[in-house]
């Protein structure tokens, strides 16, 4: 009997998984994971991958290719430092990823029974799902566990695991399904779940797929549908659209969701690679918006806030205004699992606290808020600007072209050189030039204004058009219900947001008063010195 051990199980052992607190432990972790894989152990993603392709794999001869364990043993333990330069998003197997345990940080630890309950929901779909993740407050709590007026009666017949994890809150569970062929998928799903579709479904799979791929961010949502006794919302997206957004930030609609902790239920090597690029890009963007010294909470709040900057719901009474704070404060260990391994690979940022070295339970401790510092050298920060996702980086360039009033001819030449370097393969690592260094050397307020403006423009239109599309794809009844619940969340969070703004303003006033008090003794001291000097002059 073959035993399967996931990275989640390894993560529970603090001796194996301490987020690279030292080179020795990182080496130990990678060596241990490689050894386990060589002995036949596998990650959750590899298990799901094998199960989804079991029919094709069983038809192959066992002597036609090396055993999987032999292939894995030949893979490097640590990815090369330039793996993100020109990632090959055409890969089709996990063995083609840059390293043996590449992207393990993307897999969050949740209750095993709850995880199986979520997977049972996926098995109710006959249409093939290549990649799937569950997200939102129905999976990861965004508030302290307190008794709620609502109950799990929102689910017609939930499993005991779902009822236990949601703690009586009874929240709809959100999913995203990545599929290979949009029209084919909807054709099969329409036959099995016609009741999931609005009247658009009566026009056939071709129209449904055209609405999905040509309108908004390329996602087709089905809210308030019951599957396996559980109320869910699921969005369908073409796997190519998903990978493009993750690697280039064309809309940030899906990339933003995956910048926060999600539970991956079915993995795909292309998506794992593209999402690792997305997560690294989120860290770099956040660093550009942060000062030299900051805390974990500052970093994760900045990252979580990226996808909400241009979201139309945040401009309307349609979302809890304290959502970002709620997500980070209640999921700090998960953010740490997601980003701490990536932070350790960046040369220009590091943790300052010794807590990571002295406290074995640091990864899972929600009360700790470690301090970090980044190198503000314009050269290194310019490199970060140059390594932002391509579509997003070009928008940043245009924003600062307008600010610096660079002539169009000169600017177009710079973009052409940038494009040539991108197309040149991974011969050399992309380096920031004078323009990127000038951008990176701007003050915090300027970067927040310009880069934040680019984020809002990137997300704004896809968010609006996706919301309008949902009126038709979900139907008026479900759309009205969804909108009403969002308004309720906005009303619920408004008092907290006002209190948070009041506290923030109070802290700012105290800080300004402190600066004023510090300047007074210095001026007084100078005056006293002047009087002494004056007295000496007079006496002489």
């Amino acid at each position: 009997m073959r035993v399967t051990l996931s990275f989640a199980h390894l993560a529970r052992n603090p001796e194996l998984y301490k987020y690279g607190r030292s080179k020795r432990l990182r080496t130990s972790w990678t060596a241990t994971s490689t050894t386990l894989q060589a002995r036949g152990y596998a990650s959750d993603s590899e298990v799901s991958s094998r199960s989804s392709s079991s029919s094709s794999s069983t038809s192959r001869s066992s002597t036609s290719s090396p055993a999987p364990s032999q292939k894995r043993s030949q893979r490097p333990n640590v990815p090369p430092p330039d793996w993100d330069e020109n990632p090959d998003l055409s890969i089709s197997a996990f063995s083609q990823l840059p390293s043996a345990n590449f992207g393990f940080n993307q897999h969050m630890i949740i209750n095993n029974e709850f995880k199986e309950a979520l997977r049972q929901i996926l098995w109710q779909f006959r249409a093939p799902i290549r990649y799937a993740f569950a997200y939102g407050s129905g999976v990861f709590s965004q508030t302290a566990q307190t008794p709620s007026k609502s109950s799990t009666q929102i689910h017609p017949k939930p499993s005991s695991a779902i009822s236990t994890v949601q703690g009586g809150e009874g929240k709809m569970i959100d999913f995203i399904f990545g599929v290979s062929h949009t029209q084919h998928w909807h054709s099969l799903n329409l036959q099995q779940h016609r009741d999931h579709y609005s009247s658009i479904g009566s026009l056939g799979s071709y129209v449904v797929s055209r609405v999905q791929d040509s309108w908004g961010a390329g996602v087709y949502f089905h809210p308030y549908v019951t599957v396996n006794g559980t109320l869910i919302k699921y969005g369908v997206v073409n796997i190519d659209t998903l990978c493009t957004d993750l690697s280039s930030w064309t809309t940030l609609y899906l990339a933003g969701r995956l910048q926060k902790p999600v539970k991956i239920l079915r993995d795909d090597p292309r998506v794992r690679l593209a999402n690792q690029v997305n997560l690294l890009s989120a860290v770099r963007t956040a660093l550009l918006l942060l000062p030299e010294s900051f805390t974990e909470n500052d970093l994760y709040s900045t990252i979580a806030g990226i996808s909400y900057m241009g979201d139309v719901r945040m401009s309307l009474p349609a979302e809890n205004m304290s959502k970002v704070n709620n997500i980070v404060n209640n999921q700090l260990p998960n953010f740490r699992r997601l980003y701490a391994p990536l932070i350790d690979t960046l040369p220009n940022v590091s943790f300052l606290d010794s807590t990571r070295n002295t406290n074995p339970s640091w990864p899972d401790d929600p009360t700790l808020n470690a301090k970090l510092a980044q190198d503000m050298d314009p050269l290194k920060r310019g490199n970060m600007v140059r390594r932002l996702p391509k579509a997003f980086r070009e928008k940043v360039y245009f924003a600062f072209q307008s600010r610096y009033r660079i002539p169009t001819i000169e600017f177009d030449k710079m973009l052409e050189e940038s494009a040539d370097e991108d197309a040149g393969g991974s011969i050399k690592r992309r380096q920031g030039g004078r323009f990127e260094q000038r951008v990176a050397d701007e003050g915090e307020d300027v970067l927040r204004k310009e880069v934040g403006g680019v984020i809002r423009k990137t997300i704004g239109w896809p968010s609006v058009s996706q919301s309008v599309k949902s009126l038709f794809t979900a139907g008026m009844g479900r759309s009205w219900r969804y909108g009403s619940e969002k308004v309720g969340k906005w009303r619920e969070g408004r008092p907290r947001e006002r209190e948070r703004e009041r506290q923030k303003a109070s802290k700012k006033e105290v800080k300004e008063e402190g600066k004023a008090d510090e300047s007074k003794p210095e001026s007084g001291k100078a005056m006293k010195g002047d009087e002494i000097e004056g007295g000496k002059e007079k006496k002489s």
Side-chain angles (χ1 to χ4, degrees), residues 57-326:
S57 62
T58 53
S59 62
R60 298 174 186 169
S61 170
S62 60
T63 59
S64 61
S65 61
S69 60
Q70 294 176 356
K71 287 184 178 180
R72 281 193 293 271
S73 63
Q74 298 171 1
R75 298 167 64 194
N77 297 332
V78 179
D82 60 346
W83 67 266
D84 62 309
E85 285 301 298
N86 288 281
D88 182 10
L89 296 178
S90 64
I91 62 174
S92 57
F94 288 100
S95 60
Q96 295 173 296
L97 289 170
S99 66
N101 60 348
F102 184 84
F104 74 93
N105 56 303
Q106 298 176 24
H107 286 268
M108 298 294 105
I109 303 170
I110 64 172
N111 177 275
N112 280 329
E113 289 76 16
F114 184 47
K115 177 180 67 179
E116 290 306 315
L118 297 177
R119 284 180 172 168
Q120 286 284 347
I121 292 174
L122 299 187
W123 294 338
Q124 307 307 310
F125 291 86
R126 298 192 194 115
I129 301 171
R130 279 185 57 186
Y131 181 83
F133 66 87
Y135 67 101
S137 58
V139 182
F140 299 98
S141 178
Q142 296 177 9
T143 57
Q145 292 289 346
T146 56
S148 174
K149 293 181 181 179
S150 62
S151 68
T152 48
Q153 289 178 356
I154 189 175
H155 303 296
K157 194 177 179 181
S159 69
S160 58
I162 291 176
S163 300
T164 301
V165 169
Q166 293 198 343
E169 290 183 308
K171 294 194 174 186
M172 182 170 64
I173 299 177
D174 299 341
F175 295 86
I176 292 291
F177 299 161
V179 305
S180 300
H181 306 286
T182 307
Q183 184 178 350
H184 176 64
W185 196 93
H186 284 295
S187 176
L188 296 175
N189 202 47
L190 278 165
Q191 295 176 25
Q192 183 186 9
H193 299 298
R194 175 61 185 87
D195 58 316
H196 292 185
Y197 292 79
S198 65
S199 56
I200 292 180
S202 60
L203 301 177
S205 60
Y206 174 77
V207 173
V208 170
S209 63
R210 290 294 295 173
V211 170
Q212 174 184 319
D213 295 332
S214 305
W215 197 357
V219 189
Y220 195 107
F221 280 108
H222 303 262
Y224 299 105
V225 298
T226 301
V227 178
N228 212 35
T230 306
L231 191 69
I232 71 168
K233 178 184 77 174
Y234 66 95
V236 182
V237 61
N238 187 283
I239 208 99
D240 293 332
T241 302
L242 175 59
C243 288
T244 300
D245 192 36
L246 290 173
S247 59
S248 298
W249 284 14
T250 49
T251 66
L252 267 171
Y253 192 84
L254 293 166
R257 279 165 170 75
L258 281 161
Q259 287 165 4
K260 296 177 280 291
V262 304
K263 181 54 191 174
I264 298 172
L265 301 169
R266 283 188 192 167
D267 209 349
D268 178 85
R270 286 178 61 201
V271 181
R272 190 192 288 192
L273 177 59
N275 192 32
Q276 202 75 342
V277 173
N278 172 45
L279 298 175
L280 192 58
S281 300
V283 174
R284 286 171 173 156
T285 302
L287 290 176
L288 289 172
L289 302 177
L290 288 168
E292 183 175 2
S293 300
F294 51 93
T295 64
E296 275 189 299
N297 196 290
D298 296 332
L299 175 63
Y300 304 147
S301 295
T302 303
I303 292 174
I306 288 175
S307 61
Y308 291 109
M309 282 188 183
D311 194 331
V312 64
R313 296 174 301 174
M314 303 303 287
S315 303
L316 302 171
E319 189 56 89
N320 189 332
M321 301 301 290
S322 301
K323 191 174 184 71
V324 171
N325 289 313
N326 292 341

Side-chain angles (χ1 to χ4, degrees), residues 27-47:
T27 304
S28 174
W29 158 253
T30 53
T32 303
S33 62
T34 304
T35 302
L36 291 168
Q37 290 176 348
R39 292 177 180 175
Y41 295 107
S43 67
D44 289 342
S45 58
E46 289 172 322
V47 172

Side-chain angles (χ1 to χ4, degrees), residues 336-483:
R336 198 174 279 146
R337 290 188 183 95
L338 194 59
Y339 288 106
L342 293 175
I343 293 171
D344 282 328
T345 66
L346 293 175
N348 59 318
V349 61
S350 60
F351 285 91
L352 298 178
D353 296 46
S354 60
T355 306
R356 303 171 73 231
N357 299 329
T358 59
N359 187 355
S361 63
W362 171 78
D364 298 312
D365 191 341
T367 63
L368 295 177
N369 187 18
K371 296 179 181 179
L372 299 93
Q374 63 170 318
D375 191 339
M376 302 300 282
D377 179 9
L379 178 62
K380 293 183 178 180
R381 286 172 66 80
N383 291 340
M384 285 202 302
V385 173
R386 182 65 185 86
R387 293 163 191 167
L388 292 175
K390 183 178 179 182
F392 181 79
R393 183 181 72 237
E394 291 178 353
K395 294 174 185 176
V396 172
Y397 286 174
F398 278 111
F400 280 94
Q401 178 210 14
S402 176
R403 182 178 184 85
Y404 297 151
R405 298 181 181 179
I406 300 175
T408 304
I409 297 176
E410 182 181 341
F411 183 73
D412 290 342
K413 182 179 179 181
M414 183 187 71
L415 288 182
E416 288 177 8
E417 292 174 352
S418 174
D420 291 341
E421 189 177 339
D422 284 334
S426 56
I427 298 175
K428 62 178 182 177
R429 190 157 175 78
R430 292 196 298 263
Q431 301 291 330
R434 286 180 297 176
F435 177 78
E436 287 86 358
Q437 292 173 25
R438 183 181 178 187
V439 169
D441 199 30
E442 292 285 358
E444 184 182 343
D445 293 338
V446 173
L447 284 170
R448 280 190 171 276
K449 177 183 177 182
E450 298 296 342
V451 177
V454 172
I455 293 172
R456 282 186 283 273
K457 289 179 181 177
T458 301
I459 299 173
W461 174 244
S463 173
V464 171
S465 55
Q466 188 69 44
S467 299
V468 173
K469 180 171 76 172
S470 296
L471 296 174
F472 299 93
T473 59
M476 293 304 297
R478 289 170 178 166
S479 297
W480 178 263
R481 180 180 177 183
Y482 185 77

Side-chain angles (χ1 to χ4, degrees), residues 7-38:
F7 285 116
H9 298 144
L10 291 174
R12 292 194 185 96
N13 190 334
E15 292 304 314
L16 295 180
Y17 189 49
K18 294 184 180 178
Y19 298 97
R21 70 179 194 182
S22 68
K23 290 184 178 179
R24 180 178 59 81
L25 285 177
R26 284 201 296 275
T27 304
S28 174
W29 158 253
T30 53
T32 303
S33 62
T34 304
T35 302
L36 291 168
Q37 290 176 348

Side-chain angles (χ1 to χ4, degrees), residues 297 301 321-326 329 493-507:
N297 196 290
S301 295
M321 301 301 290
S322 301
K323 191 174 184 71
V324 171
N325 289 313
N326 292 341
N329 292 338
R494 188 58 182 161
R496 298 176 190 169
E497 180 65 15
R498 285 175 179 169
E499 177 63 20
R500 194 177 72 86
E501 290 176 355
R502 188 190 65 78
Q503 292 177 356
K504 189 175 180 181
S506 177
K507 288 180 180 179

